[in-house]
Amino acid sequence: MGGVPRARSHPDRLRGESGRVRDEPSRGSTDQQRAQFLAAVSHEMRTPLTSIVSFSELLSGETTGLSPDGLRFLGIIERNADKLLRLIDDLLMLNRLEAGGLPLELTQVSLTDLAADAVKSAAPLAAKSGVTVHLDAGEGPPAWADPRRFTQVLDNLIGNAVKFSHAGGLVRVQLRYVRGTWRIDVSDTGIGIPPDEAARLFGAFIRGSNARIAGLPGTGLGLSIVKSLVEMHGGHVKVDSVLNQGTTFSVFLPAHSDVATP
C-alpha cells in the first residue's frame, strides 16, 4: 500500500501536527516531572486533610451535641482522614527516596535501644489487637545508622507484624550480632504470604492477595520504603513466610562505618 512511511528518523524525535520535528521527552525528564507533580499534589492534599483531622478531633470533644450516629460518622471521618494522611506521607517519602533527596544523618547508635523503643511504641496497638510483642536482643557493638530513619524501618516491620497477626498471636523481635553484621528478625504468627507473592512485596503498591481479601488496611508502600532505607544503610532485607502460619522479615545491617553518607 502507498502512503507516507511512519518510521521516525530518530528515536528521541517525532513530528507534530504541523510537520515540524520536535524532541520527545527523555525518560529522565518524564521521571522528574512525575516526581514534581507527585510532591506538589501531595502537599496540596495534606493541608486540607490536616484541617479535617483537627476539626474532627474538636468535634469529638463535643459529645453532648452529637447523636450516637453522629459520633459513629465522625469516627469514620477521622479514621479515613488519618489513612489518607499516612498515604500522603508514604508517597512523599517514596518520592524523596527515588529522587535521592533523603540524606542520612549517620551516627553510632544502639540498635537494641532503638528496637526497645519501637516495641514500646507498638505496645498499645498490639494490646488492642490482643497480640503480644516480645523483644529478644543480644549484645553487640553500636551500628552506623540514622536513628530516625532506622526507627521508621523498625516501626514499619513491627506494625505490619501486629496488623497481620490474629488475636492471641505473638510478634517476636530478635537482634543478633554475628561477625560484623547485625541481624534483626521480626516474626509473627499471622496470615502469612502466598509463596508466589513474597518476592514481589518490596515493590511499591504491592500487597499480598490474602491481605486484600481479608480487608486489612494498607497502602502497599511500607515495605518498599523499608527496603530503600535499609539499602541506603548498606544492608539488605529478606522475607520468609508460610501461608497461614506466619512471616519473618530479616534485616542485615553492617555494624561499622563502611557506609558512605549520600
Side-chain angles (χ1 to χ4, degrees):
M1 294 178 62
V4 178
R6 301 187 60 171
R8 283 180 280 164
S9 60
H10 191 282
D12 292 329
R13 300 172 72 83
L14 47 79
R15 285 184 190 278
E17 295 179 357
S18 64
R20 290 196 300 268
V21 175
R22 59 185 175 84
D23 290 336
E24 184 179 81
S26 67
R27 174 65 182 271
S29 174
T30 301
D31 287 346
Q32 183 179 15
Q33 290 172 357
R34 179 185 62 81
Q36 291 173 346
F37 173 78
L38 181 60
V41 170
S42 298
H43 281 298
E44 289 299 320
M45 289 176 64
R46 207 178 197 292
T47 300
L49 276 171
T50 302
S51 295
I52 291 171
V53 171
S54 298
F55 283 110
S56 295
E57 291 174 349
L58 287 174
L59 284 173
S60 64
E62 303 295 330
T63 55
T64 56
L66 293 173
S67 66
D69 279 343
L71 287 172
R72 182 167 60 86
F73 297 153
L74 185 60
I76 293 172
I77 292 171
E78 289 179 326
R79 286 194 299 275
N80 283 281
D82 282 335
K83 186 185 299 183
L84 284 173
L85 279 174
R86 289 195 299 271
L87 173 59
I88 289 170
D89 287 342
D90 285 348
L91 284 170
L92 288 172
M93 169 71 76
L94 191 62
N95 193 42
R96 292 183 65 188
L97 286 169
E98 290 180 346
L102 193 71
L104 297 180
E105 297 180 6
L106 297 173
T107 185
Q108 294 289 302
V109 297
S110 167
L111 291 185
T112 298
D113 289 346
L114 291 185
D117 289 341
V119 167
K120 184 177 180 181
S121 296
L125 177 60
K128 186 177 180 180
S129 302
V131 176
T132 300
V133 183
H134 176 72
L135 176 64
D136 176 14
E139 295 185 356
W144 190 247
D146 182 324
R148 178 185 174 191
R149 299 306 178 192
F150 205 77
T151 293
Q152 288 180 278
V153 170
L154 295 170
D155 286 344
N156 208 311
L157 293 178
I158 297 172
N160 271 358
V162 170
K163 178 170 63 176
F164 294 119
S165 293
H166 305 293
L170 172 67
V171 171
R172 178 184 291 273
V173 182
Q174 185 178 67
L175 287 81
R176 292 290 184 268
Y177 176 75
V178 181
R179 294 190 296 274
T181 299
W182 278 100
R183 174 172 177 161
I184 305 166
D185 292 326
V186 179
S187 306
D188 65 60
T189 54
I191 65 175
I193 304 166
D196 59 337
E197 298 178 12
R200 300 188 297 112
L201 281 185
F202 293 105
F205 301 104
I206 302 297
R207 301 185 67 216
S209 58
N210 54 339
R212 296 195 304 270
I213 293 170
L216 295 171
T219 64
L221 294 174
L223 290 177
S224 178
I225 291 172
V226 164
K227 181 176 184 292
S228 294
L229 288 175
V230 170
E231 289 178 350
M232 287 174 66
H233 281 82
H236 66 280
V237 58
K238 71 183 186 74
V239 58
D240 294 296
S241 184
V242 178
L243 191 61
N244 298 320
Q245 293 187 29
T247 301
T248 297
F249 284 94
S250 301
V251 173
F252 300 86
L253 190 72
H256 302 295
S257 56
D258 53 356
V259 183
T261 303

